[in-house]
Amino acid sequence: MAGHQQQPGRIAGWRFDGVHDAAGGREPKLITEGTPSFLHGWAPGAKDVAIVAKRNGSPIYNLYSVSVKDNKETALTSNTRGHVDGPEYSPDGKYIYYNANASGTMQIWRMRPDGSGKEQLTFDEYHSWFPHISPDGKWMVFISFPVDIDPDAHPSYKDVMLRLMPLTQPGAPRVIAYLYGGQGTLNAPSWSPDSRYIAFVSNSKKAE
């Protein structure tokens, strides 16, 4: 199944069996009934997806895993304030990485796929969003915003940093790029399959 937004805030998709494709006229299957819902990542094995969503009339976004077989949603967070975003499964499926501002600033966290074992990974003054794990599981890249923005926000057109942090050995995040960007720079999974390259969007140079 490949994610495809059929209606505003709902997640749908097509199932590919190696023979049929989108041109075959198959109708997408609706995965989430509730709105709004924002897709962020597939679990290894393709049985679940991780989403950010508002549910039950709450104005606060929380993280959910959703079964693509029966559409069952499992709440991974139950926040009543603050913001969480960017859930992405590790390649081995042992963790979901995400960003949250439970500590006051937006930091990178991880948890088990059932929502247990929440663990903060970054501890600095910057507001960090959208962690992406390299396919070999050794590195995490994320975007960091300056200290003067709203901890709930990830605006466009700001001076931001791309930072890299090791996951299999001790080490602090290090800056790998300074650029003008923000929202849209690193929202989607960005590693090349061989873990050698990272794709991102920069607004540092004006279009000719």
Side-chain angles (χ1 to χ4, degrees):
M1 182 166 296
H4 175 78
Q5 198 162 0
Q6 184 186 33
Q7 301 179 45
R10 289 189 173 94
I11 296 170
W14 283 276
R15 181 176 297 278
F16 296 103
D17 58 12
V19 177
H20 297 88
D21 58 19
R26 292 192 171 201
E27 288 296 319
K29 174 188 174 184
L30 189 64
I31 303 300
T32 62
E33 292 285 349
T35 61
S37 303
F38 296 94
L39 174 66
H40 275 270
W42 281 95
K47 293 182 178 180
D48 301 291
V49 293
I51 69 169
V52 181
K54 292 181 180 179
R55 292 293 185 265
N56 305 315
S58 172
I60 304 299
Y61 283 100
N62 275 287
L63 306 183
Y64 298 81
S65 63
V66 186
S67 167
V68 298
K69 181 179 180 180
D70 59 15
N71 300 2
K72 179 183 177 182
E73 294 186 358
T74 300
L76 304 176
T77 62
S78 55
N79 298 332
T80 58
R81 61 183 178 86
H83 189 70
V84 289
D85 209 336
E88 181 171 298
Y89 287 89
S90 60
D92 60 10
K94 291 183 178 180
Y95 295 100
I96 295 175
Y97 289 77
Y98 63 103
N99 54 271
N101 57 12
S103 61
T105 55
M106 190 63 79
Q107 300 293 330
I108 304 301
W109 294 63
R110 70 180 180 183
M111 59 183 165
R112 296 293 183 179
D114 62 359
S116 65
K118 293 179 175 63
E119 176 186 10
Q120 187 174 341
L121 300 180
T122 59
F123 299 86
D124 53 42
E125 69 272 28
Y126 302 110
H127 300 291
S128 296
W129 290 69
F130 302 130
H132 301 298
I133 312 306
S134 60
D136 62 13
K138 295 180 179 181
W139 300 95
M140 173 175 67
V141 66
F142 55 92
I143 185 172
S144 292
F145 289 82
V147 299
D148 59 349
I149 70 162
D150 183 340
D152 287 350
H154 52 110
S156 303
Y157 307 119
K158 295 289 183 179
D159 291 318
V160 298
M161 300 177 289
L162 299 187
R163 302 165 76 194
L164 190 68
M165 181 175 174
L167 295 177
T168 56
Q169 59 186 10
R174 63 181 176 89
V175 178
I176 56 173
Y178 295 95
L179 56 99
Y180 192 57
Q183 164 64 5
T185 290
L186 205 71
N187 295 39
S190 16
W191 287 90
S192 62
D194 61 5
S195 300
R196 295 180 61 195
Y197 298 96
I198 298 165
F200 60 93
V201 176
S202 173
N203 304 116
S204 297
K205 184 178 180 180
K206 293 182 179 180
E208 296 296 335

